[in-house]
Amino acid sequence: MSGSILLADDEEKILKTLGRALRDEGFDVVTTPSAREASRLLAERAFDLLIVDYLMPEKTGLDVIREAVGATPDGERPAMVIMTAHGSIESAVEAMKLGARDYLQKPFEVEELLAIARRAIEDQRARLGLRYLLDERDVEFGHYGIVGNSRAVRELLARAERVAESRSTVLLTGETGTGKELVARAIHAKSAQRNRPLIKVGCAAIPETLLESELFGHTRGAFTGAVTSKKGRFALADGGTIFLDEIATVSQPVQAKLLRVLQEREFEPLGSERTEKVDVRVIAATNRDLRQLVAEGKFQEDLYYRLNVIPITLPPLRDRREDIPLLVDHFVRRFASSAGKRIDGVERAVLDDLTKYDWPGNVRELENTIERAVVLANGTVLTQETVWLMGAVTPAHGPGLPSLRLHQNVEWAERETIRRALERSRGVKKDAAELMGISQRALSHYLLKYKDSI
Ligand SMILES: Nc1ncnc2c1ncn2[C@@H]1O[C@H](COP(=O)(O)OP(=O)(O)OP(=O)(O)O)[C@@H](O)[C@H]1O
Ligand SMILES: [Mg+2]
């Protein structure tokens, strides 16, 4: 794991041991036996993490922390951890009050320190990452999980934030998996009506015959099977937001009724004479080209204009590739944490592949790819094998095939087979060879051939 650490302790021996352990983990470590020197270094350059001993000759670790807090704004300060001697828990508590995230009570195991350092740096990154994605923009949007720092995403966020303040109808368009629903939720959550309901209607998922009653409700006996009356989703969304997903699939009669709600803010439930009024913001989404459907006579023109008050187009992922590493990082973190695995990141080569790939399923496809890779991962890094295995990066080549290069695929299959056979035989070569139906000599030959990659 990478990250920069400043380690300050007046005991040279401790400094040396801990410094080495942290460096072995991949951290970039600066050590100093002097508290004054630590303060100077902190003022001079940025660190991800400060680990400081409490008891030092010139001043205490607490003083170092206090000065750091005073001298640097919250967002630029390193994560801070204090080491205290046995029995001086008060200083640890004091440090935490000042903003230290953790403390280590001496004597402690090196493993303990490493675990704390890893977590601190990870959190610190997530925190800074958020800042970096959103820069000065209202952090609230960050909580809705919209990750990206490309120009397209920044513009999108700015627009979504502005529209959140109004009650205007929004039309979200974009390919599948680009985040239309995510943005719809963010707009609602940011609006003044955030405490009122957000009701989603997946128009394509509801059978055509039921959609009208789902949207507008019905009275008892309005149609066969309507044994009780039922409130429609527009009524449920009153005062809040209704999210009409996959709006392009709506039938002509329902389109007409939707047009009326948009124009008049009123409707009649099925079987009812009574007109109901609603105060609801409409957000519609589609991955189709509505204008085209209008031209083909499949979508009502008036309704299109009523929906298209504030159009927001979500760019396909392949048009904002610079967001891919950020998204990868975000999903790795999320799925590793939910799988309870420690995954530090993705191999350089994998990241290259992921960045080059065209992602027809956009962010959803990337999300699924990372989830599968995390589940499959054996080590702490997602390797080309894990990602290839799922064929996710290369669906054009067929599931599970890394490429269209015959030899490359054959070698890949050989490596995979051997790896799995060895796994099954718990490393006993004789058994693995038997499972594969080859001689032990042949297996030795393969092991030599692939010695670095099995
Ligand atoms: N910018 C983003 N940052 C983080 N996650 C994202 C982003 N965009 C999309 N996602 C995630 O990708 C998945 C697909 O997003 P969403 O459901 O919003 O897509 P959609 O545009 O509605 O797709 P569809 O047209 O297929 O319904 C979701 O799990 C969502 O959380
Ligand atoms: Mg959707």
Side-chain angles (χ1 to χ4, degrees), residues 175-182 200 243 245-246 285 287 364:
E175 292 178 14
T176 182
T178 45
K180 297 182 291 295
E181 180 158 351
L182 198 60
K200 176 186 166 179
F243 175 45
D245 201 8
E246 310 209 44
N287 53 23
R364 181 181 295 112

Side-chain angles (χ1 to χ4, degrees), residues 323-429:
D323 288 338
I324 293 175
L326 291 176
L327 285 160
V328 167
D329 199 51
H330 169 72
F331 290 132
V332 166
R333 224 182 269 288
R334 198 169 93 204
F335 292 120
S337 129
S338 67
K341 281 187 171 180
R342 177 186 152 202
I343 308 264
D344 297 333
V346 176
E347 255 183 9
R348 185 77 239 167
V350 176
L351 196 60
D352 285 348
D353 287 348
L354 294 170
T355 309
K356 278 188 213 128
Y357 178 59
D358 270 345
W359 301 108
N362 294 294
V363 184
R364 181 181 295 112
E365 188 183 357
L366 174 61
E367 185 177 9
N368 293 342
T369 300
I370 300 296
E371 180 172 15
R372 284 185 306 235
V374 166
V375 168
L376 282 185
N378 287 323
T380 56
V381 177
L382 301 184
T383 62
Q384 220 150 8
E385 267 72 26
T386 338
V387 182
W388 275 357
L389 248 179
M390 301 319 297
V393 172
T394 50
H397 309 135
L401 287 182
S403 73
L404 278 181
R405 312 292 302 176
L406 181 64
H407 291 294
Q408 199 178 343
N409 284 356
V410 171
E411 291 193 353
W412 172 81
E414 283 178 353
R415 267 198 326 252
E416 263 312 294
T417 312
I418 294 165
R419 197 179 59 75
R420 288 184 203 186
L422 281 169
E423 220 172 71
R424 180 80 60 83
S425 72
R426 296 174 195 278
V428 180
K429 288 183 193 149

